[in-house]
């Protein structure tokens, strides 16, 4: 299996990313507790144990507390910073005294956001900064000015986006001297529109597919790393299916369990392995704070390497509920 785009760029060879959104307690702004710190430490240790060396943040996660608690982990382990790749996102603004919920890719906001991220994490630079969802008012020249300032100051080394179409990426890229290296999208065995968009070309069944055309192809041609958020589908196929779940979910969970036994792996590894088998060399971002579930993902690479085309399509068909056209 060929290497990932981030690996080819010399940025990271971590096949999985640990997503830190769940760290930091609640979303209400309550003070961090001792238990919040313990949860973060256990999650980070579990991620490191299975070979994860890339960690994903965003300035809004738990209103900054996710980065703060992770910063404490780094403070307690000063050797760790040089062993990992840190990625964060900015551009989403919650309602405040100046306005409603909104997106903001202005130069001033990007610069201020990065300063806050670095302060909360207690680090001098970010390895990767992503723009967090598209801003309808984005101006590529303003974004480029912010990126150039951050790069020149040594605060950010690489840049990317999340949840963007290929057209939006090209629109921004046209003003940038350096390539965008990541696009983070929701992809999973339960969220199949990214597959449907391709296999339902010239099919009536594809008229209602809601996934922008050409994202996967553009990212592969431009050597952009596709990262998948929500890759475990909230555990639907690895233990969270209920009696009243749709038949497609229950049948797919049963198939995943069968394959897990066949591969001598956990169901989570099968679900992730299915994603990672795709030629785009998708990099899943796992977000569970349960260290046992993190450890259950350890064989995802091995499963992906072993999975046949027939097995991949069997899982796709099971989740779709109908055969491919």
């Amino acid at each position: 299996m060929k290497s990932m785009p981030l690996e080819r760029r010399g940025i990271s060879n971590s096949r999985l990313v640990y997503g830190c959104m769940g760290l930091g307690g609640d979303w209400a702004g309550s003070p961090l507790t001792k238990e919040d710190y313990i949860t973060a430490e256990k999650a980070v240790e579990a991620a490191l144990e299975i070979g994860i060396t890339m960690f994903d943040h965003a300035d809004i996660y738990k209103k900054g507390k996710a980065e703060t608690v992770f910063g404490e982990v780094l403070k307690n382990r000063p050797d760790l910073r040089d062993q990992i790749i840190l990625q964060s996102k900015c551009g989403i603004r919650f309602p405040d005294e100046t306005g409603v919920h909104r997106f903001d890719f202005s130069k001033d906001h990007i610069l201020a956001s990065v300063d806050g991220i670095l302060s909360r994490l207690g680090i001098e630079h970010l390895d990767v900064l992503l723009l967090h969802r598209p801003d309808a008012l984005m101006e590529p020249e303003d974004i480029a000015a912010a990126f150039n300032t951050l790069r020149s100051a040594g605060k950010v080394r690489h840049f990317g986006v999340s949840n963007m179409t290929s057209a939006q990426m090209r629109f921004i890229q046209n003003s940038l001297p350096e390539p965008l290296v990541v696009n983070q999208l929701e992809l999973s065995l339960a969220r199949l529109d990214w597959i449907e968009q391709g296999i339902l070309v010239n099919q009536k069944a594809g008229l209602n597919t809601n996934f922008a055309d050409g994202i996967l192809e553009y990212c592969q041609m431009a050597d952009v790393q596709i990262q998948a958020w929500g890759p475990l589908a909230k555990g639907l196929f690895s233990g969270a299916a209920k009696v009243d779940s749709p038949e497609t979910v229950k049948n797919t969970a049963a198939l995943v369990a069968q394959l897990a036994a066949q591969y001598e792996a956990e169901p989570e590894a099968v679900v992730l392995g299915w994603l990672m088998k795709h030629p785009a060399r998708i990099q899943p971002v796992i977000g569970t704070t349960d260290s046992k579930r993190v450890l259950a993902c350890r064989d995802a690479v091995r499963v992906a390497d072993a999975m046949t085309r027939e097995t991949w399509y069997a899982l796709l068909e099971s989740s779709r509920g109908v055969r491919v056209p």
Side-chain angles (χ1 to χ4, degrees):
M1 185 177 290
K2 70 179 182 180
S3 58
M4 304 182 306
L6 284 184
E7 186 172 6
R8 292 195 291 274
R9 292 185 186 279
I11 299 172
S12 174
N13 62 359
S14 185
R15 294 294 306 278
L16 298 172
V17 178
Y18 182 74
C20 299
M21 185 175 72
L23 304 181
D26 60 32
W27 285 87
S30 304
L32 287 165
T33 66
K34 182 179 180 180
E35 187 60 36
D36 294 331
Y37 290 109
I38 292 173
T39 297
E41 289 171 356
K42 288 183 176 179
V44 171
E45 286 301 322
L48 293 170
E49 183 174 334
I50 65 170
I52 293 176
T53 55
M54 189 168 187
F55 294 82
D56 175 74
H57 292 270
D59 57 357
I60 63 167
Y61 289 167
K62 302 299 176 64
K63 299 182 177 179
K65 292 189 297 176
E67 290 174 334
T68 298
V69 75
F70 194 94
E72 285 299 311
V73 173
L74 292 177
K75 186 182 298 184
N76 293 330
R77 288 195 53 181
D79 62 314
L80 186 58
R81 178 64 186 99
D82 292 336
Q83 302 172 30
I84 63 176
I85 297 297
L86 287 177
Q87 171 178 285
S88 195
K89 301 181 285 292
C90 72
I92 295 178
R93 300 187 67 172
F94 291 147
D96 55 25
E97 65 279 0
T98 62
V100 297
H101 187 288
R102 60 208 183 276
F103 303 108
D104 191 345
F105 289 177
S106 66
K107 178 182 177 182
D108 288 346
H109 180 69
I110 292 173
L111 297 181
S113 293
V114 170
D115 284 343
I117 291 167
L118 297 179
S119 175
R120 287 187 293 273
L121 288 172
I123 59 176
E124 296 182 353
H125 76 272
L126 269 179
D127 297 294
V128 185
L129 175 70
L130 307 185
L131 298 175
H132 204 175
R133 297 189 177 276
D135 175 11
L137 300 180
M138 64 184 174
E139 298 184 46
E141 298 81 3
D142 210 25
I143 294 171
F147 285 4
N148 289 337
T149 297
L150 291 169
R151 185 183 292 106
S152 297
K155 293 181 178 181
V156 180
R157 293 182 173 174
H158 305 279
F159 300 89
V161 298
S162 72
N163 305 289
M164 286 201 189
T165 67
S166 57
Q168 289 167 328
M169 292 185 70
R170 289 194 298 268
F171 182 52
I172 295 172
Q173 185 67 75
N174 188 57
S175 296
L176 300 178
E178 301 290 335
L180 295 170
V181 301
V182 170
N183 190 6
Q184 196 173 103
L185 306 160
E186 183 183 8
L187 312 173
S188 74
L189 189 54
R191 174 75 186 268
L192 295 174
D193 49 358
W194 58 287
I195 295 293
E196 304 285 83
Q197 183 66 45
I199 65 175
L200 293 179
V201 171
N202 203 33
Q203 300 280 330
K204 288 184 179 179
L207 295 177
N208 295 321
T209 301
N210 184 28
F211 193 80
D213 192 24
I215 300 179
L216 298 184
E217 293 80 4
Y218 171 78
C219 288
Q220 289 177 83
M221 290 189 294
D223 224 19
V224 175
Q225 181 68 59
I226 295 176
Q227 294 179 342
W229 61 270
L232 290 172
K234 298 182 179 180
L236 277 181
F237 309 121
S238 52
K242 297 179 173 58
V243 175
D244 58 350
S245 293
E247 287 302 308
T248 53
V249 170
K250 290 188 285 188
N251 292 340
T252 304
L255 178 56
V256 166
Q258 175 188 326
L259 291 169
Q262 176 184 323
Y263 292 127
E264 297 183 335
E266 297 297 328
E268 288 85 353
V270 175
V271 174
L272 296 178
W274 181 83
L275 267 180
M276 297 164 73
K277 185 70 176 179
H278 192 277
R281 301 300 175 251
I282 295 164
Q283 187 184 33
V285 181
I286 59 173
T288 178
T289 58
D290 184 341
S291 58
K292 291 182 179 179
R293 287 197 71 208
V294 175
L295 295 174
C297 301
R298 72 165 69 243
D299 292 314
V301 175
R302 178 173 62 81
V303 171
D305 289 341
M307 189 174 291
T308 64
R309 179 182 295 266
E310 289 72 26
T311 298
W312 192 90
Y313 272 102
L315 283 164
L316 175 63
E317 180 179 282
S318 180
S319 187
R320 294 183 86 233
V322 293
R323 68 173 181 82
V324 295

